[in-house]
């Protein structure tokens, strides 16, 4: 099983110095009392990333890179991207600096443009070696004639690093028990099979999906189910008991995703709310039984976004109900998007990516240091999985960082996680919508 070449282009170590003579939008005070933000882009093929930037005292001569080391924006470049961009002349990372608040009013940007900065990047050979394109301060606009009126300065680091990944694709929708192919260039080879089914309501075995070599551990199952609420039948509409088991080509189960908390419509509504999300356990085999590896919660966001909200946590051990938050975000239910776990990397330190809002300890308590679990295990890009919008045929494409795959079960557990987030798009559909018949459990009544 060989990986595909990928490169991550990273922008970080950001800081801004604005002379006191400069004025923020519609204000006569120094911008230290007014927010500033950046828009970072890399051509039309990649989405522009918008983020806030910290302000430093103009008299401060120190560089933030030594103490910071954080990633602000990341561009993920696959083999096709690298081939296209390597031939492009004048490729640059473009940064636009604004004062004022992010967003727009009546279609007009609420921030005032201070200036733009462009950093040339050469991606030739980037898949084999790391390269620093810029590290330090750069002037924004032209320096004033009067020496006391120095130009605005932006500190930034722009660099690339090789990031080879294993790529997997489902050949059908999850409820149809598809095969999973390993992809390298134009070569597609089957590597896993998936079996969709329904878990029994009392927390027993994954019905019709368990190999004889894997036995159910009743104590573990009941313990974890009890942590998600009582066993009493929930009132109203619900979607429950879905499960996916991933098998290798020999037929042995190597990972599973089991819906342990039903997706239930909140009172007076036809949607799953953030306050009462549905939940999955991601499981992997160990010593003849299933062991919890991660927990995924999902819900339907309200408002104009109308997205699929999710939260994914790693589980340190079977006796601990507090997980380590690795990803929390929203994906459009109309357009779809990507589920991603990216721990960040810029100066050798493992730093969480702001795009997935992870934390470094159970419930963000700060008990784990950067050199402790899980940062000693998961660094840099971990995995991503594509999701289609509601009503569209979804065949997820999964990318996994090479450094996180040491055996078949390592890859399979991320494939199971991808299956769970994809099925959550259906589980969180409005209950006024009907699901495909494969997702409806006949025994015990049909689900909406």
């Amino acid at each position: 099983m060989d990986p595909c070449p990928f490169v991550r282009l990273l922008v970080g170590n950001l800081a801004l110095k604005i002379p006191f003579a400069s004025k923020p939008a519609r204000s006569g005070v120094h911008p230290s009392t007014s927010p500033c933000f950046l828009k970072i882009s890399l051509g039309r093929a990649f989405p522009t990333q918008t983020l806030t930037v910290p302000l430093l005292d103009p008299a401060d001569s120190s560089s933030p890179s030594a103490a910071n080391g954080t990633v602000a924006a990341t561009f993920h470049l696959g083999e096709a991207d690298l081939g296209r961009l390597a031939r492009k002349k004048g490729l640059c990372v473009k940064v636009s600096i604004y004062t004022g608040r992010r967003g727009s009013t009546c279609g007009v940007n609420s921030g005032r443009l201070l200036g733009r900065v462009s950093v040339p990047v050469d991606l030739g050979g980037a898949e084999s070696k790391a390269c620093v394109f810029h590290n330090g301060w750069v002037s924004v606009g032209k320096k004033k004639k009067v020496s006391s009126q120095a130009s605005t300065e932006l500190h930034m680091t722009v660099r690339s690093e090789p990031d080879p990944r294993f790529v997997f694709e489902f050949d059908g929708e999850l409820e149809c028990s598809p095969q999973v192919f390993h992809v390298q260039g134009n070569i597609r080879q089957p590597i896993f099979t998936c079996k969709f089914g329904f878990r029994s309501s009392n927390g027993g075995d994954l019905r019709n999906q368990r190999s004889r070599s894997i036995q159910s551990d009743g104590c573990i199952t009941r313990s974890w189910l009890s942590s998600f609420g009582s066993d009493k039948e929930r009132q109203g509409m619900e979607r429950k008991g879905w499960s996916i088991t991933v098998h290798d080509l020999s037929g042995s189960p190597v990972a599973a995703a089991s819906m342990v908390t039903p997706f239930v419509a909140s009172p007076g509504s036809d949607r799953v709310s953030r306050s009462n999300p549905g939940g999955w356990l991601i499981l992997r085999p160990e010593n003849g039984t299933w062991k919890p590896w991660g927990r995924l919660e999902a819900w339907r966001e309200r408002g104009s976004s109308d997205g699929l909200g999710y939260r994914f946590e790693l589980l340190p051990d079977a006796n601990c109900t507090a997980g380590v938050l690795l990803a929390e975000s929203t994906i459009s239910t109309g357009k779809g998007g990507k589920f991603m776990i990216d721990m960040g990397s810029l100066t050798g330190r493992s730093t969480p990516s702001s795009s997935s809002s992870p934390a470094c300890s159970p419930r963000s308590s700060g008990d784990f240091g950067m050199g402790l679990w899980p940062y000693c295990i998961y660094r840099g890009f971990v995995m991503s999985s594509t999701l289609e919008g509601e009503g569209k045929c979804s065949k997820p494409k999964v990318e996994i960082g090479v450094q996180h795959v040491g055996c078949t079960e390592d890859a399979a557990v991320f494939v199971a996680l991808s299956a769970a987030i994809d099925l959550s798009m259906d589980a969180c559909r409005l209950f006024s919508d009907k699901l495909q018949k494969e997702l409806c459990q006949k025994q015990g009544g049909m689900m909406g």
Side-chain angles (χ1 to χ4, degrees), residues 194-214:
C194 294
K195 180 65 176 178
F196 175 81
F198 296 93
R199 180 182 54 78
S200 58
S201 60
N202 62 1
D205 292 349
L206 299 176
R207 198 161 58 245
N208 299 324
Q209 301 178 41
R210 189 65 59 87
S211 164
R212 292 181 181 179
S213 64
I214 298 291

Side-chain angles (χ1 to χ4, degrees), residues 167-187:
V167 179
F168 304 93
E169 288 184 357
F170 292 81
D171 74 341
E173 296 184 284
L174 272 303
E175 59 271 23
C176 298
S177 300
Q179 278 190 309
V180 179
F181 287 84
H182 170 240
V183 180
Q184 188 190 27
N186 296 323
I187 302 174

Side-chain angles (χ1 to χ4, degrees), residues 107-315:
V108 179
N109 197 319
S110 59
R112 181 174 71 90
L113 179 66
L114 279 180
R116 294 185 174 92
V117 171
S118 293
V119 176
V121 295
D122 181 2
L123 296 175
E127 67 273 15
S128 60
K129 62 179 180 180
C131 183
V132 178
F133 303 108
H134 178 83
N135 182 34
W137 293 98
V138 59
S139 295
V140 179
K142 297 181 179 180
K143 191 172 182 178
K144 308 298 181 181
K145 293 182 179 180
V146 181
S147 59
S148 61
Q149 294 180 330
S151 63
T152 297
E153 290 184 297
L154 174 68
H155 187 283
M156 62 190 301
T157 299
V158 180
R159 63 163 292 179
S160 66
E161 61 182 26
D163 190 27
R165 303 174 186 180
F166 293 112
V167 179
F168 304 93
E169 288 184 357
F170 292 81
D171 74 341
E173 296 184 284
L174 272 303
E175 59 271 23
C176 298
S177 300
Q179 278 190 309
V180 179
F181 287 84
H182 170 240
V183 180
Q184 188 190 27
N186 296 323
I187 302 174
R188 288 165 52 90
Q189 294 180 320
I191 189 168
F192 299 120
T193 59
C194 294
K195 180 65 176 178
F196 175 81
F198 296 93
R199 180 182 54 78
S200 58
S201 60
N202 62 1
D205 292 349
L206 299 176
R207 198 161 58 245
N208 299 324
Q209 301 178 41
R210 189 65 59 87
S211 164
R212 292 181 181 179
S213 64
I214 298 291
Q215 300 298 321
S216 173
D217 187 329
C219 295
I220 291 293
T221 304
R222 286 191 294 272
S223 172
W224 275 101
L225 287 175
S226 63
S227 70
F228 285 95
S230 67
D231 293 330
K232 294 181 180 179
E233 189 71 15
R234 294 174 182 266
Q235 298 297 320
M237 299 174 290
E238 62 180 9
R239 292 158 183 158
K240 62 180 180 179
W242 302 356
S243 64
I244 280 280
T245 304
V246 181
H247 301 262
D248 62 18
L249 295 182
S250 70
S252 300
V254 285
S258 179
M259 184 189 289
V260 292
T261 303
F263 286 70
V264 183
S266 60
S269 171
D270 65 345
R271 69 176 61 218
V272 180
S273 67
R274 184 187 183 101
S275 60
N276 189 28
W280 298 79
L281 277 184
I282 314 301
L283 308 154
R284 62 183 298 163
E286 182 179 325
N287 298 325
T289 187
W290 289 117
K291 296 294 183 181
W293 172 78
R295 174 172 55 207
L296 175 70
E297 294 179 334
W299 59 89
R300 182 82 174 233
E301 293 283 11
R302 290 185 175 274
S304 57
S305 63
D306 196 29
L308 173 71
Y310 65 82
R311 178 189 303 111
F312 174 69
E313 299 174 329
L314 278 179
L315 300 173

